[in-house]
Amino acid sequence: MISNFKKMEEEERSFLGYLKNLDKTLLIAVSICAILSILCIYSIYSSQVVEVTETQCFMQTISVLIGIIACFIITAIDYHKIAKLWFLYVPIALFLVALTFTNLGYGRGEADDVAWLDFGFISIQPAEILKIAFLLSFSLHLHKVGKDINNFGHFILLCIHGAIPVVIVALQGDYGTSIVFGMMFAFMMLFAGLSLKYIVPILACVPVVLYLLWNYVLSSVHRNRIEVLLNPGSDPLGIEYQQNLGKASLAEGGLFGKGLFQDEYTFVPEIHNDFIFSFIGQAFGFVGCSVILVLFAFICIKILIDAMTTKDALGKNICVGTFSMIFVHCVMNVGMVLGVMPVIGIPLPFMSAGGTAMLSMFLAIGLVLSTHSHRRKQKRMFYDIED
């Protein structure tokens, strides 16, 4: 009886220790965004401003619940153990992405990329899974290289590692996600201590790379999306149509917005997905949009703070990679809605409709929470962690 009591007491201490070391403010912040996304999508569904199905609303809710549960589970597991299993999840992620080049791959709506898989009972976007696989594998790679990052041989291998997801996703036609991978690579390399002897030549090559991309890689559609930003009003019924509606939607909300579950909202294509920020403007106005942006700024800053307090380079790399992923998504998505960046199909983290994207973001946050919880030796829910 006494031994059982001591065992229960130990388990209780372990659970309390788990809660004590949990980065609650970060988890609460991302959960607020996710819950708000459910309310927004149900509001769009009820108003029928665009064709949002009840199934999509349900899947968004399920994705958020699964994501939050995954956060708690991953937080309880040492991130070192997860990273060392790269040989399991990296091949799976690459295999799923490769399947998009088969008959299973398809593009959604009027999107010009083939980046989804249809399994009949469910559809997924493999590039979102690849983000987490890359985040972990590249973090581990940088951790193992350590101070030798500026050794030319290691530098080349790191570049090859970073180029693989960029090229594969670009071949799908998903240039937006390809840019996200590229920026994750750049941020993580810089924070890991990349020398100026590499940074300066790379920056010098940027104009040449942009020239080659513009003339030999980008299609006429993608070039037009950039050109209309330089010449507003040149194609109001074509390339600019969605962005013009998005800006009109933002303006219609005024200072405080119309509120949720109203009968009439301005129509914007993909308002529940990539253009959900325009709906936030309609529903909550300028004040609501400002609050959302402040919330995202808090999330990004909190992740960077966690990066500075981790116990090793692996934890720091994971935090920096997650920060860059969320930061780039936010900048590109909001810029897209405001008409200062081209429309390239980038969702707003924790807000846009999409089960795979929602889950991948929560998995990344779970990894950040794990680095925060395992900063020192503590009793964990599942096992003890050694420094």
Side-chain angles (χ1 to χ4, degrees):
M1 178 70 74
I2 295 176
S3 62
N4 289 337
F5 177 77
K6 288 183 177 179
K7 184 177 180 180
M8 290 175 63
E9 188 179 30
E10 182 179 351
E11 289 175 354
E12 183 180 0
R13 287 200 303 269
S14 178
F15 180 71
L16 291 176
Y18 166 79
L19 292 178
K20 180 181 178 181
N21 289 283
L22 183 66
D23 190 345
K24 303 175 190 66
T25 55
L26 179 59
L27 181 59
I28 290 171
V30 297
S31 297
I32 289 172
C33 291
I35 292 170
L36 183 59
S37 79
I38 296 173
L39 294 174
C40 288
I41 292 169
Y42 268 101
S43 182
I44 295 169
Y45 164 72
S46 64
S47 68
Q48 298 182 339
V49 63
V50 294
E51 189 176 345
V52 176
T53 66
E54 188 174 358
T55 300
Q56 287 176 305
C57 295
F58 175 75
M59 289 304 299
Q60 188 76 354
T61 304
I62 293 299
S63 299
V64 170
L65 292 175
I66 294 175
I68 293 174
I69 292 171
C71 257
F72 280 105
I73 294 174
I74 292 178
T75 304
I77 303 174
D78 187 350
Y79 58 94
H80 294 88
K81 295 181 180 295
I82 301 174
K84 289 176 181 178
L85 295 175
W86 65 268
F87 59 89
L88 294 178
Y89 48 76
V90 169
I92 293 173
L94 290 172
F95 174 72
L96 290 173
V97 173
L99 286 179
T100 61
F101 297 96
T102 69
N103 292 334
L104 292 174
Y106 74 100
R108 286 187 171 181
E110 297 181 1
D112 48 12
D113 56 333
V114 181
W116 285 265
L117 289 177
D118 185 5
F119 293 111
F121 63 97
I122 192 173
S123 61
I124 63 172
Q125 188 175 7
E128 296 295 335
I129 300 172
L130 186 60
K131 283 179 188 175
I132 305 303
F134 174 72
L135 170 65
L136 285 166
S137 62
F138 196 66
S139 294
L140 183 62
H141 192 166
L142 283 172
H143 176 58
K144 288 184 176 296
V145 169
K147 295 181 180 180
D148 292 330
I149 183 176
N150 293 306
N151 175 280
F152 184 72
H154 286 300
F155 172 74
I156 293 299
L157 290 176
L158 287 166
C159 287
I160 294 173
H161 191 158
I164 291 173
V166 173
V167 173
I168 292 176
V169 174
L171 290 174
Q172 291 180 322
D174 189 355
Y175 294 114
T177 302
S178 182
I179 291 173
V180 172
F181 276 112
M183 294 305 295
M184 288 175 66
F185 167 78
F187 272 98
M188 293 172 77
M189 289 286 281
L190 287 172
F191 274 82
L194 186 64
S195 172
L196 283 174
K197 71 178 182 180
Y198 294 115
I199 296 174
V200 173
I202 290 172
L203 291 177
C205 292
V206 168
V208 177
V209 173
L210 292 177
Y211 174 83
L212 294 174
L213 289 174
W214 182 266
N215 289 280
Y216 301 104
V217 177
L218 296 180
S219 66
S220 59
V221 174
H222 293 100
R223 289 198 297 269
N224 289 339
R225 289 178 180 176
I226 298 173
E227 289 172 344
V228 295
L229 298 179
L230 305 176
N231 300 285
S234 59
D235 190 16
L237 299 179
I239 298 295
E240 294 180 274
Y241 178 69
Q242 187 178 20
Q243 284 183 313
N244 288 341
L245 288 176
K247 288 184 286 186
S249 172
L250 282 171
E252 190 173 335
L255 188 60
F256 297 105
K258 298 177 177 180
L260 292 171
F261 302 102
Q262 301 300 310
D263 293 331
E264 293 184 4
Y265 295 107
T266 298
F267 167 79
V268 181
E270 298 296 325
I271 194 173
H272 62 300
N273 197 348
D274 298 338
F275 272 72
I276 197 165
F277 192 70
S278 66
F279 179 78
I280 293 172
Q282 280 192 78
F284 303 107
F286 175 79
V287 172
C289 287
S290 299
V291 170
I292 291 298
L293 293 178
V294 169
L295 191 57
F296 277 121
F298 171 80
I299 291 170
C300 289
I301 293 170
K302 191 67 180 70
I303 293 173
L304 285 180
I305 292 173
D306 286 346
M308 292 186 289
T309 59
T310 56
K311 68 179 182 180
D312 61 10
L314 177 60
K316 176 185 174 183
N317 295 336
I318 289 173
C319 291
V320 171
T322 302
F323 157 78
S324 60
M325 180 172 67
I326 294 175
F327 176 75
V328 172
H329 266 267
C330 290
V331 170
M332 293 177 68
N333 180 274
V334 175
M336 187 173 66
V337 175
L338 294 177
V340 296
M341 298 193 74
V343 178
I344 48 177
I346 289 293
L348 188 62
F350 306 104
M351 296 292 297
S352 295
T356 318
M358 180 68 74
L359 185 56
S360 70
M361 287 293 173
F362 267 113
L363 289 174
I365 291 297
L367 291 168
V368 173
L369 296 178
S370 177
T371 67
H372 182 273
S373 294
H374 296 87
R375 290 177 295 176
R376 54 189 177 272
K377 184 178 179 180
Q378 293 285 349
K379 277 220 177 273
R380 288 281 149 260
M381 287 178 66
F382 298 155
Y383 42 75
D384 292 347
I385 301 301
E386 297 290 340
D387 285 328

PDB file of all heavy atoms in Angstrom, residues 278-309:
ATOM      1  N   SER A 278      -8.222  38.692 -44.958  1.00  0.00           N
ATOM      2  CA  SER A 278      -9.205  39.659 -45.461  1.00  0.00           C
ATOM      3  C   SER A 278     -10.538  39.488 -44.733  1.00  0.00           C
ATOM      4  O   SER A 278     -11.260  40.464 -44.483  1.00  0.00           O
ATOM      5  CB  SER A 278      -9.392  39.514 -46.971  1.00  0.00           C
ATOM      6  OG  SER A 278      -9.977  38.264 -47.299  1.00  0.00           O
ATOM      7  N   PHE A 279     -10.878  38.244 -44.378  1.00  0.00           N
ATOM      8  CA  PHE A 279     -12.105  38.017 -43.613  1.00  0.00           C
ATOM      9  C   PHE A 279     -11.955  38.551 -42.191  1.00  0.00           C
ATOM     10  O   PHE A 279     -12.906  39.097 -41.619  1.00  0.00           O
ATOM     11  CB  PHE A 279     -12.448  36.530 -43.558  1.00  0.00           C
ATOM     12  CG  PHE A 279     -13.689  36.239 -42.753  1.00  0.00           C
ATOM     13  CD1 PHE A 279     -14.945  36.459 -43.289  1.00  0.00           C
ATOM     14  CD2 PHE A 279     -13.593  35.805 -41.439  1.00  0.00           C
ATOM     15  CE1 PHE A 279     -16.094  36.224 -42.535  1.00  0.00           C
ATOM     16  CE2 PHE A 279     -14.729  35.568 -40.675  1.00  0.00           C
ATOM     17  CZ  PHE A 279     -15.984  35.782 -41.232  1.00  0.00           C
ATOM     18  N   ILE A 280     -10.772  38.391 -41.618  1.00  0.00           N
ATOM     19  CA  ILE A 280     -10.525  38.949 -40.286  1.00  0.00           C
ATOM     20  C   ILE A 280     -10.745  40.454 -40.307  1.00  0.00           C
ATOM     21  O   ILE A 280     -11.308  41.038 -39.367  1.00  0.00           O
ATOM     22  CB  ILE A 280      -9.091  38.610 -39.826  1.00  0.00           C
ATOM     23  CG1 ILE A 280      -8.958  37.099 -39.609  1.00  0.00           C
ATOM     24  CG2 ILE A 280      -8.734  39.352 -38.537  1.00  0.00           C
ATOM     25  CD1 ILE A 280      -7.538  36.643 -39.348  1.00  0.00           C
ATOM     26  N   GLY A 281     -10.333  41.100 -41.411  1.00  0.00           N
ATOM     27  CA  GLY A 281     -10.559  42.531 -41.547  1.00  0.00           C
ATOM     28  C   GLY A 281     -12.033  42.870 -41.607  1.00  0.00           C
ATOM     29  O   GLY A 281     -12.478  43.854 -40.996  1.00  0.00           O
ATOM     30  N   GLN A 282     -12.804  42.059 -42.342  1.00  0.00           N
ATOM     31  CA  GLN A 282     -14.246  42.281 -42.409  1.00  0.00           C
ATOM     32  C   GLN A 282     -14.917  42.066 -41.059  1.00  0.00           C
ATOM     33  O   GLN A 282     -15.755  42.846 -40.629  1.00  0.00           O
ATOM     34  CB  GLN A 282     -14.890  41.322 -43.421  1.00  0.00           C
ATOM     35  CG  GLN A 282     -14.757  41.732 -44.858  1.00  0.00           C
ATOM     36  CD  GLN A 282     -15.669  40.906 -45.739  1.00  0.00           C
ATOM     37  OE1 GLN A 282     -16.874  41.137 -45.807  1.00  0.00           O
ATOM     38  NE2 GLN A 282     -15.090  39.939 -46.425  1.00  0.00           N
ATOM     39  N   ALA A 283     -14.561  40.988 -40.406  1.00  0.00           N
ATOM     40  CA  ALA A 283     -15.240  40.599 -39.169  1.00  0.00           C
ATOM     41  C   ALA A 283     -14.811  41.423 -37.966  1.00  0.00           C
ATOM     42  O   ALA A 283     -15.634  41.764 -37.110  1.00  0.00           O
ATOM     43  CB  ALA A 283     -14.996  39.115 -38.902  1.00  0.00           C
ATOM     44  N   PHE A 284     -13.519  41.764 -37.881  1.00  0.00           N
ATOM     45  CA  PHE A 284     -13.001  42.425 -36.675  1.00  0.00           C
ATOM     46  C   PHE A 284     -12.414  43.807 -36.933  1.00  0.00           C
ATOM     47  O   PHE A 284     -11.981  44.468 -35.982  1.00  0.00           O
ATOM     48  CB  PHE A 284     -11.953  41.535 -36.007  1.00  0.00           C
ATOM     49  CG  PHE A 284     -12.467  40.172 -35.661  1.00  0.00           C
ATOM     50  CD1 PHE A 284     -12.075  39.056 -36.393  1.00  0.00           C
ATOM     51  CD2 PHE A 284     -13.351  39.990 -34.608  1.00  0.00           C
ATOM     52  CE1 PHE A 284     -12.538  37.797 -36.076  1.00  0.00           C
ATOM     53  CE2 PHE A 284     -13.821  38.727 -34.280  1.00  0.00           C
ATOM     54  CZ  PHE A 284     -13.425  37.629 -35.020  1.00  0.00           C
ATOM     55  N   GLY A 285     -12.354  44.236 -38.188  1.00  0.00           N
ATOM     56  CA  GLY A 285     -11.887  45.569 -38.506  1.00  0.00           C
ATOM     57  C   GLY A 285     -10.399  45.770 -38.305  1.00  0.00           C
ATOM     58  O   GLY A 285      -9.636  44.831 -38.073  1.00  0.00           O
ATOM     59  N   PHE A 286      -9.995  47.037 -38.374  1.00  0.00           N
ATOM     60  CA  PHE A 286      -8.580  47.396 -38.224  1.00  0.00           C
ATOM     61  C   PHE A 286      -8.052  46.977 -36.861  1.00  0.00           C
ATOM     62  O   PHE A 286      -6.924  46.495 -36.737  1.00  0.00           O
ATOM     63  CB  PHE A 286      -8.419  48.909 -38.417  1.00  0.00           C
ATOM     64  CG  PHE A 286      -7.023  49.404 -38.171  1.00  0.00           C
ATOM     65  CD1 PHE A 286      -6.043  49.248 -39.136  1.00  0.00           C
ATOM     66  CD2 PHE A 286      -6.687  50.016 -36.966  1.00  0.00           C
ATOM     67  CE1 PHE A 286      -4.742  49.701 -38.914  1.00  0.00           C
ATOM     68  CE2 PHE A 286      -5.394  50.464 -36.729  1.00  0.00           C
ATOM     69  CZ  PHE A 286      -4.424  50.311 -37.702  1.00  0.00           C
ATOM     70  N   VAL A 287      -8.881  47.154 -35.830  1.00  0.00           N
ATOM     71  CA  VAL A 287      -8.459  46.794 -34.472  1.00  0.00           C
ATOM     72  C   VAL A 287      -8.194  45.292 -34.380  1.00  0.00           C
ATOM     73  O   VAL A 287      -7.173  44.858 -33.821  1.00  0.00           O
ATOM     74  CB  VAL A 287      -9.526  47.211 -33.434  1.00  0.00           C
ATOM     75  CG1 VAL A 287      -9.176  46.667 -32.056  1.00  0.00           C
ATOM     76  CG2 VAL A 287      -9.654  48.726 -33.386  1.00  0.00           C
ATOM     77  N   GLY A 288      -9.100  44.495 -34.928  1.00  0.00           N
ATOM     78  CA  GLY A 288      -8.925  43.044 -34.895  1.00  0.00           C
ATOM     79  C   GLY A 288      -7.694  42.593 -35.649  1.00  0.00           C
ATOM     80  O   GLY A 288      -6.943  41.721 -35.173  1.00  0.00           O
ATOM     81  N   CYS A 289      -7.457  43.183 -36.832  1.00  0.00           N
ATOM     82  CA  CYS A 289      -6.262  42.839 -37.616  1.00  0.00           C
ATOM     83  C   CYS A 289      -4.998  43.186 -36.840  1.00  0.00           C
ATOM     84  O   CYS A 289      -4.023  42.419 -36.841  1.00  0.00           O
ATOM     85  CB  CYS A 289      -6.270  43.582 -38.948  1.00  0.00           C
ATOM     86  SG  CYS A 289      -7.475  42.970 -40.140  1.00  0.00           S
ATOM     87  N   SER A 290      -5.012  44.335 -36.169  1.00  0.00           N
ATOM     88  CA  SER A 290      -3.844  44.759 -35.390  1.00  0.00           C
ATOM     89  C   SER A 290      -3.573  43.792 -34.244  1.00  0.00           C
ATOM     90  O   SER A 290      -2.420  43.445 -33.964  1.00  0.00           O
ATOM     91  CB  SER A 290      -4.068  46.169 -34.840  1.00  0.00           C
ATOM     92  OG  SER A 290      -4.247  47.098 -35.894  1.00  0.00           O
ATOM     93  N   VAL A 291      -4.644  43.359 -33.580  1.00  0.00           N
ATOM     94  CA  VAL A 291      -4.495  42.413 -32.475  1.00  0.00           C
ATOM     95  C   VAL A 291      -3.895  41.100 -32.981  1.00  0.00           C
ATOM     96  O   VAL A 291      -2.999  40.520 -32.334  1.00  0.00           O
ATOM     97  CB  VAL A 291      -5.843  42.154 -31.786  1.00  0.00           C
ATOM     98  CG1 VAL A 291      -5.742  40.995 -30.796  1.00  0.00           C
ATOM     99  CG2 VAL A 291      -6.322  43.412 -31.068  1.00  0.00           C
ATOM    100  N   ILE A 292      -4.358  40.624 -34.129  1.00  0.00           N
ATOM    101  CA  ILE A 292      -3.833  39.378 -34.705  1.00  0.00           C
ATOM    102  C   ILE A 292      -2.353  39.519 -35.037  1.00  0.00           C
ATOM    103  O   ILE A 292      -1.539  38.622 -34.756  1.00  0.00           O
ATOM    104  CB  ILE A 292      -4.635  38.982 -35.958  1.00  0.00           C
ATOM    105  CG1 ILE A 292      -6.052  38.562 -35.593  1.00  0.00           C
ATOM    106  CG2 ILE A 292      -3.930  37.843 -36.712  1.00  0.00           C
ATOM    107  CD1 ILE A 292      -6.133  37.342 -34.705  1.00  0.00           C
ATOM    108  N   LEU A 293      -1.974  40.647 -35.622  1.00  0.00           N
ATOM    109  CA  LEU A 293      -0.571  40.863 -35.971  1.00  0.00           C
ATOM    110  C   LEU A 293       0.303  40.946 -34.717  1.00  0.00           C
ATOM    111  O   LEU A 293       1.423  40.419 -34.699  1.00  0.00           O
ATOM    112  CB  LEU A 293      -0.423  42.140 -36.804  1.00  0.00           C
ATOM    113  CG  LEU A 293      -1.044  42.093 -38.202  1.00  0.00           C
ATOM    114  CD1 LEU A 293      -0.869  43.435 -38.910  1.00  0.00           C
ATOM    115  CD2 LEU A 293      -0.419  40.980 -39.041  1.00  0.00           C
ATOM    116  N   VAL A 294      -0.210  41.592 -33.681  1.00  0.00           N
ATOM    117  CA  VAL A 294       0.525  41.651 -32.410  1.00  0.00           C
ATOM    118  C   VAL A 294       0.671  40.245 -31.821  1.00  0.00           C
ATOM    119  O   VAL A 294       1.730  39.882 -31.278  1.00  0.00           O
ATOM    120  CB  VAL A 294      -0.194  42.587 -31.406  1.00  0.00           C
ATOM    121  CG1 VAL A 294       0.413  42.439 -30.010  1.00  0.00           C
ATOM    122  CG2 VAL A 294      -0.097  44.029 -31.873  1.00  0.00           C
ATOM    123  N   LEU A 295      -0.362  39.446 -31.947  1.00  0.00           N
ATOM    124  CA  LEU A 295      -0.329  38.075 -31.434  1.00  0.00           C
ATOM    125  C   LEU A 295       0.723  37.250 -32.171  1.00  0.00           C
ATOM    126  O   LEU A 295       1.490  36.500 -31.546  1.00  0.00           O
ATOM    127  CB  LEU A 295      -1.712  37.434 -31.579  1.00  0.00           C
ATOM    128  CG  LEU A 295      -1.950  36.090 -30.871  1.00  0.00           C
ATOM    129  CD1 LEU A 295      -1.674  36.212 -29.382  1.00  0.00           C
ATOM    130  CD2 LEU A 295      -3.372  35.620 -31.110  1.00  0.00           C
ATOM    131  N   PHE A 296       0.786  37.399 -33.484  1.00  0.00           N
ATOM    132  CA  PHE A 296       1.801  36.674 -34.256  1.00  0.00           C
ATOM    133  C   PHE A 296       3.204  37.181 -33.913  1.00  0.00           C
ATOM    134  O   PHE A 296       4.159  36.389 -33.859  1.00  0.00           O
ATOM    135  CB  PHE A 296       1.539  36.810 -35.756  1.00  0.00           C
ATOM    136  CG  PHE A 296       0.532  35.826 -36.281  1.00  0.00           C
ATOM    137  CD1 PHE A 296      -0.633  36.260 -36.895  1.00  0.00           C
ATOM    138  CD2 PHE A 296       0.734  34.463 -36.159  1.00  0.00           C
ATOM    139  CE1 PHE A 296      -1.568  35.354 -37.374  1.00  0.00           C
ATOM    140  CE2 PHE A 296      -0.191  33.552 -36.633  1.00  0.00           C
ATOM    141  CZ  PHE A 296      -1.349  33.997 -37.239  1.00  0.00           C
ATOM    142  N   ALA A 297       3.325  38.495 -33.707  1.00  0.00           N
ATOM    143  CA  ALA A 297       4.623  39.043 -33.312  1.00  0.00           C
ATOM    144  C   ALA A 297       5.061  38.468 -31.968  1.00  0.00           C
ATOM    145  O   ALA A 297       6.237  38.120 -31.774  1.00  0.00           O
ATOM    146  CB  ALA A 297       4.543  40.567 -33.232  1.00  0.00           C
ATOM    147  N   PHE A 298       4.110  38.337 -31.053  1.00  0.00           N
ATOM    148  CA  PHE A 298       4.413  37.748 -29.749  1.00  0.00           C
ATOM    149  C   PHE A 298       4.877  36.302 -29.895  1.00  0.00           C
ATOM    150  O   PHE A 298       5.854  35.880 -29.253  1.00  0.00           O
ATOM    151  CB  PHE A 298       3.182  37.804 -28.838  1.00  0.00           C
ATOM    152  CG  PHE A 298       3.334  37.027 -27.569  1.00  0.00           C
ATOM    153  CD1 PHE A 298       4.038  37.553 -26.495  1.00  0.00           C
ATOM    154  CD2 PHE A 298       2.798  35.739 -27.445  1.00  0.00           C
ATOM    155  CE1 PHE A 298       4.198  36.820 -25.323  1.00  0.00           C
ATOM    156  CE2 PHE A 298       2.953  35.004 -26.278  1.00  0.00           C
ATOM    157  CZ  PHE A 298       3.657  35.550 -25.216  1.00  0.00           C
ATOM    158  N   ILE A 299       4.180  35.533 -30.741  1.00  0.00           N
ATOM    159  CA  ILE A 299       4.548  34.128 -30.958  1.00  0.00           C
ATOM    160  C   ILE A 299       5.978  34.026 -31.485  1.00  0.00           C
ATOM    161  O   ILE A 299       6.787  33.226 -30.995  1.00  0.00           O
ATOM    162  CB  ILE A 299       3.561  33.459 -31.934  1.00  0.00           C
ATOM    163  CG1 ILE A 299       2.183  33.302 -31.271  1.00  0.00           C
ATOM    164  CG2 ILE A 299       4.087  32.094 -32.395  1.00  0.00           C
ATOM    165  CD1 ILE A 299       1.083  32.882 -32.229  1.00  0.00           C
ATOM    166  N   CYS A 300       6.306  34.858 -32.471  1.00  0.00           N
ATOM    167  CA  CYS A 300       7.648  34.815 -33.067  1.00  0.00           C
ATOM    168  C   CYS A 300       8.712  35.222 -32.052  1.00  0.00           C
ATOM    169  O   CYS A 300       9.771  34.572 -31.952  1.00  0.00           O
ATOM    170  CB  CYS A 300       7.702  35.733 -34.289  1.00  0.00           C
ATOM    171  SG  CYS A 300       6.772  35.129 -35.715  1.00  0.00           S
ATOM    172  N   ILE A 301       8.454  36.292 -31.298  1.00  0.00           N
ATOM    173  CA  ILE A 301       9.423  36.746 -30.301  1.00  0.00           C
ATOM    174  C   ILE A 301       9.601  35.709 -29.201  1.00  0.00           C
ATOM    175  O   ILE A 301      10.722  35.440 -28.746  1.00  0.00           O
ATOM    176  CB  ILE A 301       8.985  38.101 -29.705  1.00  0.00           C
ATOM    177  CG1 ILE A 301       9.063  39.192 -30.776  1.00  0.00           C
ATOM    178  CG2 ILE A 301       9.851  38.477 -28.512  1.00  0.00           C
ATOM    179  CD1 ILE A 301       8.437  40.505 -30.367  1.00  0.00           C
ATOM    180  N   LYS A 302       8.504  35.099 -28.775  1.00  0.00           N
ATOM    181  CA  LYS A 302       8.572  34.078 -27.718  1.00  0.00           C
ATOM    182  C   LYS A 302       9.400  32.880 -28.179  1.00  0.00           C
ATOM    183  O   LYS A 302      10.163  32.303 -27.384  1.00  0.00           O
ATOM    184  CB  LYS A 302       7.164  33.615 -27.347  1.00  0.00           C
ATOM    185  CG  LYS A 302       7.110  32.765 -26.084  1.00  0.00           C
ATOM    186  CD  LYS A 302       7.485  33.591 -24.871  1.00  0.00           C
ATOM    187  CE  LYS A 302       7.429  32.772 -23.583  1.00  0.00           C
ATOM    188  NZ  LYS A 302       8.506  31.777 -23.519  1.00  0.00           N
ATOM    189  N   ILE A 303       9.269  32.494 -29.431  1.00  0.00           N
ATOM    190  CA  ILE A 303      10.060  31.374 -29.954  1.00  0.00           C
ATOM    191  C   ILE A 303      11.548  31.730 -29.954  1.00  0.00           C
ATOM    192  O   ILE A 303      12.402  30.902 -29.617  1.00  0.00           O
ATOM    193  CB  ILE A 303       9.583  30.987 -31.365  1.00  0.00           C
ATOM    194  CG1 ILE A 303       8.170  30.396 -31.302  1.00  0.00           C
ATOM    195  CG2 ILE A 303      10.539  29.972 -31.997  1.00  0.00           C
ATOM    196  CD1 ILE A 303       7.548  30.152 -32.658  1.00  0.00           C
ATOM    197  N   LEU A 304      11.876  32.971 -30.320  1.00  0.00           N
ATOM    198  CA  LEU A 304      13.277  33.404 -30.309  1.00  0.00           C
ATOM    199  C   LEU A 304      13.825  33.438 -28.884  1.00  0.00           C
ATOM    200  O   LEU A 304      14.992  33.102 -28.649  1.00  0.00           O
ATOM    201  CB  LEU A 304      13.407  34.781 -30.949  1.00  0.00           C
ATOM    202  CG  LEU A 304      13.299  34.826 -32.476  1.00  0.00           C
ATOM    203  CD1 LEU A 304      13.449  36.257 -32.972  1.00  0.00           C
ATOM    204  CD2 LEU A 304      14.345  33.926 -33.134  1.00  0.00           C
ATOM    205  N   ILE A 305      12.997  33.845 -27.928  1.00  0.00           N
ATOM    206  CA  ILE A 305      13.418  33.829 -26.523  1.00  0.00           C
ATOM    207  C   ILE A 305      13.709  32.397 -26.078  1.00  0.00           C
ATOM    208  O   ILE A 305      14.714  32.127 -25.407  1.00  0.00           O
ATOM    209  CB  ILE A 305      12.336  34.464 -25.623  1.00  0.00           C
ATOM    210  CG1 ILE A 305      12.234  35.960 -25.908  1.00  0.00           C
ATOM    211  CG2 ILE A 305      12.650  34.223 -24.145  1.00  0.00           C
ATOM    212  CD1 ILE A 305      11.098  36.653 -25.196  1.00  0.00           C
ATOM    213  N   ASP A 306      12.836  31.467 -26.485  1.00  0.00           N
ATOM    214  CA  ASP A 306      13.075  30.054 -26.168  1.00  0.00           C
ATOM    215  C   ASP A 306      14.359  29.558 -26.815  1.00  0.00           C
ATOM    216  O   ASP A 306      15.069  28.716 -26.253  1.00  0.00           O
ATOM    217  CB  ASP A 306      11.888  29.201 -26.625  1.00  0.00           C
ATOM    218  CG  ASP A 306      10.668  29.375 -25.729  1.00  0.00           C
ATOM    219  OD1 ASP A 306      10.819  29.927 -24.619  1.00  0.00           O
ATOM    220  OD2 ASP A 306       9.559  28.981 -26.136  1.00  0.00           O
ATOM    221  N   ALA A 307      14.657  30.073 -28.018  1.00  0.00           N
ATOM    222  CA  ALA A 307      15.898  29.677 -28.706  1.00  0.00           C
ATOM    223  C   ALA A 307      17.118  30.078 -27.902  1.00  0.00           C
ATOM    224  O   ALA A 307      18.129  29.348 -27.864  1.00  0.00           O
ATOM    225  CB  ALA A 307      15.946  30.314 -30.099  1.00  0.00           C
ATOM    226  N   MET A 308      17.042  31.223 -27.226  1.00  0.00           N
ATOM    227  CA  MET A 308      18.189  31.721 -26.449  1.00  0.00           C
ATOM    228  C   MET A 308      18.345  31.003 -25.115  1.00  0.00           C
ATOM    229  O   MET A 308      19.402  31.095 -24.479  1.00  0.00           O
ATOM    230  CB  MET A 308      18.045  33.230 -26.223  1.00  0.00           C
ATOM    231  CG  MET A 308      18.177  34.044 -27.496  1.00  0.00           C
ATOM    232  SD  MET A 308      18.175  35.835 -27.186  1.00  0.00           S
ATOM    233  CE  MET A 308      16.457  36.093 -26.731  1.00  0.00           C
ATOM    234  N   THR A 309      17.306  30.306 -24.683  1.00  0.00           N
ATOM    235  CA  THR A 309      17.373  29.652 -23.364  1.00  0.00           C
ATOM    236  C   THR A 309      17.498  28.129 -23.455  1.00  0.00           C
ATOM    237  O   THR A 309      17.489  27.454 -22.425  1.00  0.00           O
ATOM    238  CB  THR A 309      16.111  30.001 -22.540  1.00  0.00           C
ATOM    239  OG1 THR A 309      14.937  29.572 -23.244  1.00  0.00           O
ATOM    240  CG2 THR A 309      16.033  31.490 -22.279  1.00  0.00           C
TER     241      THR A 309
END
